[in-house]
Amino acid sequence: RRPPRSTLDRSSAASDVYKRQKFYREILGLTELNRWDAPKEPLTTLGFTDNLPFQMVIFNTGKSGKISTLLKFISFKEIESETPSKDFIHSSIGLGFITIKVENMDEQLQRLRKANVEFLGETPTRLWDEYFAVFRDPSGNMVELVAPYKEKE
């Protein structure tokens, strides 16, 4: 059964959907909802592809039973695509980065450091009443973690 949905989900093509799957499931701790080998039809009829099947992995970004955004990662076995520059969010036109809200920034940072993920800028950075951390996923996409600021006890 699908969790309650937000009004917007995020889909992204990857050169290797299974590398992303491992990263988002094992390192970020997101819940994998489904893996799907999408057939050529009805994707061609819908206008998504030009007669190509693809692989898709779907993640829930929130807690079970709560309204959350789904992340959908797809890859095509039959083609190699060029990757546009992803150095900065202004380097290419289109969706710029993924934002994931988390409850505990310290816990997430530990998991990412253990996996040798390289952070961009100063991490974590406090802005207003939240902490932010920015890094890249295995496909080079920027990912922003946002957590509530909590006073140290």
Side-chain angles (χ1 to χ4, degrees):
R1 194 183 111 163
R2 293 182 88 133
R5 303 272 303 272
S6 71
T7 57
L8 180 69
D9 291 338
R10 165 77 157 77
S11 297
S12 176
S15 57
D16 185 340
V17 75
Y18 299 110
K19 276 186 186 173
R20 271 201 182 173
Q21 172 190 23
K22 182 177 179 178
F23 181 82
Y24 281 87
R25 184 185 64 228
E26 294 178 16
I27 297 171
L28 287 180
L30 298 185
T31 303
E32 183 179 323
L33 295 178
N34 195 4
R35 249 188 254 190
W36 186 41
D37 285 328
K40 293 177 185 179
E41 285 299 338
L43 300 173
T44 300
T45 300
L46 287 167
F48 278 117
T49 69
D50 56 349
N51 207 30
L52 290 172
F54 62 79
Q55 298 72 47
M56 178 185 283
V57 178
I58 303 171
F59 288 96
N60 184 10
T61 61
K63 293 186 178 178
S64 180
K66 299 216 177 195
I67 293 175
S68 64
T69 298
L70 300 182
L71 290 178
K72 303 172 186 178
F73 299 117
I74 60 174
S75 65
F76 298 87
K77 290 180 185 173
E78 298 179 21
I79 62 168
E80 286 190 33
S81 296
E82 229 176 87
T83 303
S85 171
K86 296 179 184 178
D87 291 342
F88 301 98
I89 60 174
H90 58 76
S91 296
S92 63
I93 302 301
L95 296 173
F97 58 94
I98 300 167
T99 299
I100 301 172
K101 297 213 176 202
V102 298
E103 291 296 318
N104 187 323
M105 181 64 79
D106 290 336
E107 183 180 291
Q108 290 295 330
L109 293 177
Q110 283 179 347
R111 292 172 83 154
L112 292 163
R113 286 183 178 120
K114 185 176 179 183
N116 297 314
V117 171
E118 186 177 327
F119 294 97
L120 306 175
E122 296 179 29
T123 296
T125 297
R126 181 180 172 199
L127 295 173
W128 310 287
D129 60 346
E130 296 177 310
Y131 279 121
F132 294 79
V134 180
F135 54 92
R136 295 189 187 281
D137 73 9
S139 294
N141 296 299
M142 284 188 183
V143 179
E144 169 190 52
L145 294 184
V146 180
Y149 172 75
K150 295 179 183 172
E151 291 284 342
K152 301 283 183 189
E153 295 180 10

